[in-house]
Amino acid sequence: MITIYTVSSCTSCKKAKTWLNAHQLTYKEQNLGKEGITKEEILDILTKTENGVASIVSSKNRYAKGLGVDIEDLSVSEVIDIIMETPRILKSPILVDDKRLQVGYKEDDIRAFLPRSVRNVENAEARLRAAL
């Protein structure tokens, strides 16, 4: 099952949900502003990142700036505590399942959540259209 971590005002979150619905993929939405995020969920996400905290925390948004600390100067444990207290510092959307992670909405990347058989068919169709 795909979990999508969203915030209410995020247009990329809406695009991701629209894409998931169009491809009939089941997902669980978790609104970070309303429901927050647990330490276990953060650790699960972090284990799937390439660049750790930098992959998921937005140092540019108003919530991160309002903290008055440089996230890069903190330990992972301290960052996890801050994320739990202020989950809106996370980039959005964050899509995660048992194997994959995507931060933000990029249509080419979100396709990784399609079952392999569907991806193969769609890729073959795209190659055929390109050849015509």
Side-chain angles (χ1 to χ4, degrees):
M1 163 86 61
I2 299 167
T3 299
I4 178 171
Y5 297 92
T6 63
V7 294
S8 299
S9 60
C10 171
T11 56
S12 293
C13 297
K14 291 173 185 157
K15 288 178 185 178
K17 290 189 303 184
T18 299
W19 188 92
L20 291 168
N21 290 329
H23 288 84
Q24 300 175 350
L25 296 173
T26 57
Y27 62 91
K28 178 186 100 170
E29 179 179 2
Q30 187 164 326
N31 185 305
L32 294 169
K34 296 176 182 171
E35 301 168 63
I37 188 167
T38 67
K39 181 177 184 173
E40 292 75 22
E41 290 168 326
I42 297 166
L43 289 170
D44 178 56
I45 291 168
L46 284 172
T47 62
K48 295 177 175 100
T49 65
E50 289 184 20
N51 297 316
V53 171
S55 296
I56 63 170
V57 171
S58 173
S59 58
K60 297 177 183 176
N61 77 24
R62 65 183 167 140
Y63 299 99
K65 287 179 181 176
L67 294 172
V69 297
D70 187 347
I71 297 290
E72 294 179 17
D73 292 340
L74 303 175
S75 70
V76 172
S77 179
E78 291 171 317
V79 173
I80 289 171
D81 288 343
I82 288 174
I83 292 170
M84 289 172 48
E85 292 170 21
T86 313
R88 304 256 338 232
I89 68 170
L90 292 173
K91 296 177 182 178
S92 58
I94 295 176
L95 294 93
V96 64
D97 67 10
D98 58 336
K99 297 180 236 171
R100 292 170 285 271
L101 168 74
Q102 179 178 332
V103 179
Y105 174 76
K106 298 175 200 85
E107 189 165 352
D108 289 342
D109 295 341
I110 199 171
R111 292 176 46 73
F113 288 94
L114 288 170
R116 185 181 307 259
S117 59
V118 174
R119 281 196 321 262
N120 289 342
V121 168
E122 287 189 5
N123 288 341
E125 289 172 355
R127 283 192 297 274
L128 183 61
R129 281 193 301 275
L132 295 176

